């Protein structure tokens, strides 16, 4: 025990010696004593939607034809459909083409219909989903919704 105390005292004494050197404490850092500003910068990185060289517009990403959108808007309620519920929808992945809704309200793929609070209806492919409901880019555009909007829709299905 006495030896341990002696070793600790010697170690503390020697470590304090560096504080009394003429040019101050030394560090393990080598190089200029004053901080130098950076003179080189990384090149600018350009990113875009879906790996293209430029950001693509929503119209360029949507491959659904005007006729397909018009037919989906003209579809009326079928006899065997029922209200499945209401969901708030976000924009789904733009790379997934077609007019569809992915929602936890749906347990299997089927044809159905959605209605907005403004009264617009649209025939959609209902897809099972988890988490929040997603609506395709084509469906957003057919209904005239803003891509940044989170509208509530009523879902109808078999």
């Amino acid at each position: 025990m006495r030896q341990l105390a002696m070793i600790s005292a010697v170690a503390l004494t020697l470590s304090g010696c560096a504080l009394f050197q003429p040019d101050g404490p030394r560090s393990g850092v080598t190089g200029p004593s004053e901080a130098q500003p950076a003179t080189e910068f990384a090149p600018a990185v350009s990113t875009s939607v879906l790996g293209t060289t430029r950001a693509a517009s929503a119209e360029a990403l949507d491959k659904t034809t005007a006729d397909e959108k018009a037919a989906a808007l003209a579809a009326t309620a079928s006899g065997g459909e029922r209200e499945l519920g209401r969901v708030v929808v976000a924009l789904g992945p733009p790379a997934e083409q077609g007019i569809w809704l992915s929602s936890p309200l749906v347990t299997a793929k089927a044809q159905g219909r959605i209605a907005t609070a403004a009264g617009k209806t649209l025939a959609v492919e209902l897809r099972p989903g988890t988490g929040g409901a997603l609506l395709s880019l084509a469906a957003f555009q057919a209904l005239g919704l803003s891509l940044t909007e989170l509208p509530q829709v009523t879902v109808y299905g078999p």
Side-chain angles (χ1 to χ4, degrees):
M1 183 73 161
R2 192 174 187 192
Q3 289 175 339
L4 185 60
M6 182 67 90
I7 292 172
S8 297
V10 170
L12 287 173
T13 303
L14 291 176
S15 66
C17 289
L19 295 174
F20 299 107
Q21 291 183 356
D23 53 344
R26 300 209 183 251
S27 69
V29 178
T30 59
S33 59
E34 293 184 25
Q36 299 290 326
T39 57
E40 295 180 23
F41 297 97
V45 176
S46 173
T47 60
S48 61
V49 177
L50 301 177
T52 59
T53 55
R54 265 187 246 149
S57 68
E59 290 76 22
L61 291 172
D62 182 15
K63 304 297 182 202
T64 309
T65 66
D67 291 339
E68 290 171 323
K69 290 177 186 175
L73 283 167
T76 58
S78 63
E81 76 177 16
R82 62 187 174 88
E83 183 178 322
L84 301 178
R86 291 185 179 89
V87 292
V88 173
V89 294
L91 179 63
E96 290 187 38
Q97 297 298 312
I99 300 174
W100 52 266
L101 169 79
S102 172
S103 168
L105 295 175
V106 180
T107 57
K109 273 189 178 181
Q111 286 303 118
R113 187 173 57 92
I114 59 172
T116 64
K120 286 187 174 182
T121 64
L122 182 70
V124 295
E125 177 184 281
L126 298 174
R127 299 177 179 178
T130 57
L134 300 175
L135 189 61
S136 70
L137 173 62
F140 260 83
Q141 290 183 321
L143 292 169
L145 301 171
S146 166
L147 299 180
T148 58
E149 195 173 342
L150 296 172
Q152 184 178 44
V153 297
T154 305
V155 183
Y156 298 92

